[in-house]
Structures are given as structure tokens and as C-alpha cells.
């Protein structure tokens, strides 16, 4: 079984491209900084994992994901290789994203961005946590179904 579960922060905004042809497919590439459990010499360490998402997942990443945002993904590891311009063989490893979601609240994300201003870029407008009803669930306006990736 090839299954990966990761949680980390985006090191940069996703890079999104579209395939050529009549049915253009969105392809998003981003890197997650995933903290290691153990520290080296008291310093936090992280692994930087390359991820790729396709289709609606890629479009969602393009619209909502920004540098510094904490997300959780599931997917599978994929390896490959290519020959670079110097004729050397380069081996690649990346996670093909099957599912992705926010791993913190908007307020926590904003607090992180405020404490790390050199890493923050403008985030798209999303409903505030105060838009939640008394039961803790956010009210979603009618007619927004086309924009939600999981419907």
C-alpha cells in the first residue's frame, strides 16, 4: 500500500499550470515544510516535501492556499527520473495529492502570518470565523455550490 499523510506549512504559494489541449487540466505544485518530531541541538528541524495536485484539487490550491498556511494532505509517493541539460540523470520524489484540507482556523493562520511577516503574502478573502452560527457551523450562502470542491 502506498499512502502518505502529511501536515505542514506551505513554503511558498502554489505554482499552478494548465495542460495543453481541449480539456485543460490544472496542475498545482507546492512544497510543505513538515516538522520533525525530534529536535537537533534544541533546534526545530523540518523536511521539505514536494507535492503535486491535479484538477479540482489544483484549482482549490490556487484559490485558497498561500505561503505559511498550515494544511494536511493525504496522497501517494511517486518517484521518477529525467536527464537534465548537462546529461545527468536526476531522480525525483513527490507526493501526488489525493485529499487536502486546512489544518488550522483562519484566526490561527492570521496570527501565524502576523508573527512571520517576511513569509506572509496576501490571502484570498474567506469567511471569518465569526460567520459561524451558534452551533459552530458556518452558514454557506445559497448558490455557492459550484465553488465548493467537495460537492
Amino acid at each position: 500500500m502506498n499512502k502518505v499523510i502529511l501536515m505542514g506549512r506551505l513554503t511558498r504559494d502554489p505554482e499552478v499550470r494548465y495542460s495543453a489541449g481541449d480539456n485543460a487540466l490544472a496542475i498545482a505544485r507546492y512544497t510543505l515544510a513538515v516538522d520533525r518530531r525530534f529536535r537537533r541541538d534544541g533546534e526545530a528541524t523540518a523536511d521539505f516535501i514536494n507535492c503535486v495536485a491535479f484538477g479540482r484539487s489544483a484549482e482549490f490550491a490556487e484559490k485558497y492556499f498561500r505561503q505559511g498556511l498550515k494544511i494536511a494532505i493525504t496522497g501517494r509517493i511517486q518517484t521518477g527520473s529525467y536527464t537534465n541539460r548537462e546529461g545527468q540523470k536526476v531522480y525525483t520524489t513527490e507526493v501526488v495529492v489525493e485529499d487536502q484540507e486546512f489544518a488550522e482556523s483562519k484566526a490561527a493562520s492570521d496570527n501565524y502570518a502576523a508573527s512571520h511577516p517576511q513569509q506572509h503574502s496576501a490571502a484570498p478573502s474567506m469567511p471569518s470565523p465569526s460567520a459561524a452560527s451558534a452551533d459552530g457551523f458556518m452558514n454557506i450562502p445559497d448558490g455557492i455550490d459550484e465553488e465548493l470542491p467537495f460537492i
Side-chain angles (χ1 to χ4, degrees), residues 21-151:
D22 293 335
N23 296 328
L25 178 70
I27 303 165
R29 294 186 179 281
Y30 53 83
T31 302
L32 279 184
V34 179
D35 291 332
R36 291 184 179 173
R37 177 174 282 199
F38 301 102
R39 296 174 180 259
R40 177 179 291 153
D41 299 326
E43 295 291 320
T45 57
D47 291 302
F48 297 90
I49 313 292
N50 294 321
C51 303
V52 60
F54 297 95
R56 295 190 79 182
S57 292
E59 292 167 359
F60 182 85
E62 179 179 35
K63 188 171 183 179
Y64 295 111
F65 289 179
R66 296 291 176 257
Q67 179 179 343
L69 181 70
K70 190 175 200 177
I71 64 169
I73 67 165
T74 59
R76 61 183 170 80
I77 293 178
Q78 180 171 285
T79 60
S81 65
Y82 64 93
T83 304
N84 67 12
R85 292 180 180 153
E86 290 79 38
Q88 299 171 325
K89 192 161 195 161
V90 177
Y91 295 93
T92 62
T93 303
E94 60 191 2
V95 174
V96 177
V97 175
E98 295 168 355
D99 187 39
Q100 58 192 6
E101 58 189 63
F102 299 105
E104 66 186 353
S105 69
K106 176 79 168 114
S109 178
D110 289 345
N111 287 340
Y112 178 83
S115 65
H116 297 81
Q118 73 280 2
Q119 297 176 359
H120 180 65
S121 62
S125 64
M126 293 177 55
S128 69
S130 61
S133 65
D135 61 3
F137 290 97
M138 182 184 306
N139 293 321
I140 299 176
D142 293 334
I144 196 168
D145 294 346
E146 292 78 33
E147 293 186 30
L148 297 176
F150 46 83
I151 291 182

